[in-house]
Amino acid sequence: MNRNESWKHKIAYQIYPRSFCDSNGDGIGDLRGITSKLDYLADLGTDYIWICPVYASPMDDGGYDVSDYYSINPMFGRMEDMDELIAEAGKRGIKILMDLVLNHCSDEHVWFRRALADPECEEASYFYFRESHGTPPNNWRSMFGGSAWENVGGDRWYLHLFSKKQPDLNWENPALREEIYKMVNWWLDKGVAGFRIDAIINIKKPIPLTVDYPADRPDGLCSAHRMLQDAVGLTDMLNELADRTFRPHNAFTIAELFDWRREDLERYI
C-alpha cells in the first residue's frame, strides 16, 4: 500500500480542547488534560487526534482568530505542554493533527497591527486593503453578517469574510505565502503529523475586489459565497502549499471545503 494512502485505514478523534479535559481545575480544558487521556484514546483505537485551535488568540471565534501562530494560548497551557503531548501520543502510536487557519488571522496579530499603524509597511500588503470614499469597496456580505469590509479611518477599508476581527490574508502576495510556509514547516518539524485546514477555499478571491453582485437580501448585500464561484486558481495555490510543506514531510492533510465546483473536486482531492 502506498504510504500516502495509509490514512484510509486509520481512525481520527476530534477534540475541542476547551471542553475536553481540565487538568488544573480552572474550568477550561487544556493540553495536559488531553495528555492525561491518551491511554483512554489509545484504547478506543485512535490513530490521529485532531485538535481544534490552541494558538494564541483573543478567542473572538473560538480560536480561529490566531494572534500568534508560534505560541500556545495560555488558557490551554504552554508550548512545553504541546511538546509533551506530541511525544506521549507518539509513544502510544497516536499522531497529532492541528487545526490550521490560513484564510485569515486575528486583528491582534502583529502583522495587522503594523499594517494599521503604517499603510506603507510590508505587512500592509499581507491583507486586502482598499480605498473607497464613504461606502465599502463592494457589496459582499461577511459569513457572519454585515459588510465584509471594515473601515479603519478615512477611505481605507480591509476585507474580512468572517468576523471583523479576522482580516483576510492576501494569498496573492508571495511574501505572505512565504511566511505561511515557514510557519507550517515549523510545526511539522516540531513533530505534528499534519493538519485539518480551515475554510481553505476562501484563500482565493476574484481579483479585482471591486465587483458588486446582485443583492440577495434587503440589506443590499450579497453573500460572500457568491464571489467564490468566480475565484479561479485555488488549486495552483494548494499545490504550491503542498510542495513547500506537506509533501516533503509526507504530512496528513484534510481541509474544509465548501462552495466547490464539481469539475474541480478531483483536483482538490
Side-chain angles (χ1 to χ4, degrees):
M1 180 175 59
N2 187 312
R3 64 178 181 169
N4 291 324
E5 295 183 351
S6 63
W7 59 269
K8 293 183 178 181
H9 303 271
K10 303 297 184 182
I11 295 172
Y13 189 108
Q14 179 187 0
I15 290 177
Y16 184 67
R18 194 169 187 173
S19 60
F20 182 71
C21 182
D22 173 16
S23 71
N24 59 7
D26 66 356
I28 299 173
D30 47 48
L31 292 174
R32 296 194 71 182
I34 299 173
T35 301
S36 74
K37 296 296 183 180
L38 286 174
D39 287 338
Y40 162 73
L41 293 167
D43 287 344
L44 291 178
T46 303
D47 298 297
Y48 292 100
I49 298 174
W50 157 25
I51 304 175
C52 292
V54 291
Y55 312 98
S57 167
M59 300 297 284
D60 179 67
D61 184 26
Y64 288 90
D65 48 319
V66 180
S67 57
D68 185 351
Y69 289 97
Y70 295 95
S71 297
I72 298 295
N73 190 322
M75 73 166 58
F76 300 128
R78 305 170 301 162
M79 188 61 72
E80 290 83 357
D81 299 323
M82 174 59 76
D83 293 336
E84 180 185 25
L85 174 57
I86 293 170
E88 290 299 319
K91 293 176 183 178
R92 295 161 175 82
I94 299 174
K95 297 179 179 180
I96 301 299
L97 306 177
M98 292 190 71
D99 225 311
L100 187 60
V101 188
L102 297 181
N103 176 70
H104 48 262
C105 65
S106 168
D107 65 347
E108 297 184 25
H109 194 289
V110 64
W111 295 341
F112 194 71
R113 293 204 307 267
R114 289 173 179 167
L116 289 183
D118 181 5
E120 302 302 321
C121 73
E122 180 180 12
E123 288 83 0
S125 66
Y126 289 4
F127 303 92
Y128 293 102
F129 283 98
R130 293 294 185 272
E131 300 289 323
S132 182
H133 183 66
T135 59
N138 63 35
N139 73 334
W140 298 355
R141 183 188 302 107
S142 155
M143 305 289 187
F144 289 178
S147 175
W149 295 89
E150 184 72 10
N151 182 262
V152 294
D155 296 335
R156 194 178 185 218
W157 305 72
Y158 69 86
L159 179 68
H160 60 91
L161 294 187
F162 294 88
S163 162
K164 68 180 182 181
K165 289 185 66 63
Q166 293 170 296
D168 278 47
L169 293 167
N170 178 13
W171 273 74
E172 303 294 333
N173 183 347
L176 178 277
R177 297 200 303 272
E178 288 299 321
E179 290 290 340
I180 293 293
Y181 303 155
K182 180 174 70 173
M183 177 270 295
V184 171
N185 284 321
W186 185 85
W187 280 105
L188 290 170
D189 290 340
K190 179 178 280 290
V192 169
F195 302 91
R196 176 268 183 186
I197 312 177
D198 178 66
I200 193 63
I201 197 170
N202 295 83
I203 67 172
K204 182 62 180 177
K205 279 79 171 173
I207 304 296
L209 301 178
T210 53
V211 177
D212 286 333
Y213 291 102
D216 57 17
R217 291 183 189 173
D219 61 6
L221 304 177
C222 182
S223 170
H225 290 279
R226 172 62 185 85
M227 71 86 184
L228 294 175
Q229 299 173 22
D230 294 337
V232 178
L234 174 62
T235 52
D236 293 335
M237 288 181 171
L238 296 184
N239 272 311
E240 182 179 275
L241 170 63
D243 285 341
R244 296 291 305 279
T245 61
F246 309 137
R247 288 180 180 132
H249 288 85
N250 192 33
F252 177 98
T253 53
I254 187 168
E256 177 187 24
L257 189 67
F258 48 83
D259 291 285
W260 47 271
R261 290 181 287 262
R262 182 169 295 277
E263 61 270 23
D264 292 333
L265 188 57
E266 184 174 345
R267 285 191 292 167
Y268 290 144
I269 295 171

